[in-house]
């Protein structure tokens, strides 16, 4: 921007100063330059969004112009901006709200001049500002649980997993039953030596066997039993209603008990489940 010698050049992006050979300019340059007149000096300067005039993007998000996907030319991030919530840290395991451009534009004050920096005074309220900065968590926690501060990964803070009313799940709003069966796998090997490998494999096996996904299965305990191990796992239902679980839960567990007691069933075909002890009765509560 400093190559523009006059206010007209700076604001319009044209290069009338023919002595300059640093770049070939075009109209898009003006999106990033502004003419500064501080009473002592006059010069063209790069728009930097400096001085803390814009709120910080949270959780590792990257700032971008709201209109950049609709524009043919570059747009300054100091004008109508948003923090791109698809670029946050741990994006695959977090649930920060990703607002649409139209939602954000509706939240900008009517008296905002789009040729100036979009500061917080032109954003209607604090809740909306959270959408701009990627600090609005989309999780709605049940049963008095809350999201662990600054994570937005699950409602695990205060979720009554071990006490009544016994809830679990992403938003702590899922009834679960606990079932158990025996594996012919050494407890020391599974739980101590190779737990990081063992846990995801047994969860995948159980999810396949019970015709669900891994989000509905979690391991509660693994207890030693002679040369084997007793596996206690949670089966999560898609409901917060105890009575609703009775409709499907009994059938699921009854079938699981039958299959685990059968040598050639799908229950014993998994990477870990192949070591199921068919002589130990599957139980649940």
């Amino acid at each position: 921007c400093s190559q523009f010698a006059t206010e007209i050049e700076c604001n319009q992006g044209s290069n009338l100063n023919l002595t300059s050979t640093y770049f070939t300019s075009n109209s898009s340059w003006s999106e990033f330059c502004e003419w500064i007149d501080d009473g002592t000096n006059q010069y063209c300067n790069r728009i930097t969004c400096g001085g803390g005039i814009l709120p910080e993007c949270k959780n590792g998000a990257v700032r971008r112009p709201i209109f950049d996907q609709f524009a043919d030319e570059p747009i300054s991030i100091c004008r109508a901006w948003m923090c791109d919530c698809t670029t946050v840290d741990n994006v695959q395991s977090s649930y920060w709200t990703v607002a649409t451009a139209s939602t954000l534009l509706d939240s900008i004050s009517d008296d905002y001049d789009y040729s100036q920096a979009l500061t917080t005074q032109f954003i209607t309220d604090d809740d909306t500002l959270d959408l701009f900065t990627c600090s609005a968590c989309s999780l709605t926690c049940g049963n008095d649980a809350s999201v662990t501060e600054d994570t937005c990964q699950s409602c695990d803070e205060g979720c009554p997993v071990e006490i009544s009313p016994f809830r679990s799940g992403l938003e702590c709003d899922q009834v679960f039953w606990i079932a158990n069966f025996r594996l012919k796998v050494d407890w020391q090997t599974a739980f101590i030596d190779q737990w990081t490998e063992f846990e995801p494999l047994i969860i995948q096996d159980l999810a396949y066997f019970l015709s669900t996904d891994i989000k509905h299965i979690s391991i509660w305990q693994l207890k030693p039993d002679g040369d084997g191990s007793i596996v206690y796992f949670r089966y999560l239902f898609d409901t917060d209603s105890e009575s609703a679980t009775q409709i499907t839960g009994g059938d699921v567990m009854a079938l699981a008990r039958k299959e685990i007691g059968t040598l050639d069933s799908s229950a014993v075909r998994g990477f870990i489940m192949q070591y199921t002890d068919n002589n130990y009765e599957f139980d649940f509560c």
Side-chain angles (χ1 to χ4, degrees), residues 4-238:
F4 295 131
T6 68
E7 183 175 358
I8 294 177
E9 291 177 320
C10 182
N11 293 333
Q12 296 182 2
S14 59
N15 191 354
L16 303 178
N17 181 7
L18 300 180
T19 61
S20 172
T21 57
Y22 287 96
F23 58 83
T24 301
S25 66
N26 56 56
S27 61
S28 67
W29 283 90
S30 63
E31 295 287 350
F32 301 94
C33 304
E34 60 182 348
W35 186 251
I36 304 298
D37 185 349
D38 60 11
T40 303
N41 300 301
Q42 293 182 335
Y43 57 95
C44 189
N45 193 36
R46 180 172 64 89
I47 298 174
T48 61
C49 309
I53 62 172
L54 301 184
E56 293 182 3
C57 290
K58 304 297 184 180
N59 304 299
V62 176
R63 195 186 309 274
R64 56 179 280 193
I66 292 179
F67 298 113
D68 66 349
Q69 60 180 311
F70 309 110
D72 294 328
E73 296 180 342
I75 299 175
S76 171
I77 60 172
C78 298
R79 306 312 187 207
W81 56 269
M82 60 184 288
C83 298
D84 187 351
C85 300
T86 65
T87 64
V88 296
D89 300 330
N90 303 312
V91 65
Q92 298 298 327
S93 59
S94 60
Y95 295 86
W96 301 108
T97 301
V98 180
T100 63
S102 60
T103 297
L104 297 177
L105 290 171
D106 287 342
S107 305
I108 297 176
S109 174
D110 292 337
D111 58 356
Y112 170 62
D113 181 352
Y114 281 81
S115 67
Q116 298 180 347
L118 176 60
T119 58
T120 55
Q121 72 183 89
F122 298 110
I123 298 175
T124 53
D125 54 57
D126 291 340
D127 290 338
T128 302
L129 180 59
D130 289 343
L131 293 177
F132 276 87
T133 60
C134 296
S135 53
C137 186
S138 65
L139 297 178
T140 302
C141 301
N143 297 290
D144 298 322
S146 60
V147 176
T148 301
E149 186 177 1
D150 298 331
T151 63
C152 194
Q153 293 181 324
S154 67
C155 298
D156 51 2
E157 191 75 24
C159 188
V161 177
E162 304 290 346
I163 59 175
S164 180
F166 300 105
R167 294 294 186 272
S168 188
L170 180 65
E171 297 184 314
C172 190
D173 60 353
Q174 293 176 259
V175 177
F176 65 86
W177 289 3
I178 294 178
N180 68 85
F181 63 99
R182 188 177 188 274
L183 286 176
K184 298 176 184 178
V185 175
D186 177 64
W187 178 85
Q188 172 76 26
T189 300
F191 190 64
I192 303 298
D193 299 337
Q194 299 185 35
W195 177 249
T196 56
E197 295 84 8
F198 177 87
E199 183 184 27
L201 288 172
I202 188 66
I203 288 177
Q204 289 176 4
D205 284 356
L206 286 167
Y208 171 77
F209 160 50
L210 295 169
S211 299
T212 185
D213 58 53
I214 60 174
K215 293 181 179 180
H216 290 81
I217 305 292
S218 65
I219 304 302
W220 181 45
Q221 289 183 4
L222 199 69
K223 290 187 176 182
D225 185 63
D227 59 354
S229 306
I230 308 296
V231 179
Y232 294 85
F233 70 93
R234 301 184 186 92
Y235 181 91
L236 279 68
F237 296 87
D238 290 321

Side-chain angles (χ1 to χ4, degrees), residues 260-279:
I260 276 186
T262 305
L263 290 173
D264 59 352
S265 74
S266 61
V268 295
R269 295 177 187 172
F271 192 86
I272 301 295
M273 294 286 284
Q274 63 178 305
Y275 302 108
T276 298
D277 185 350
N278 302 99
N279 296 316

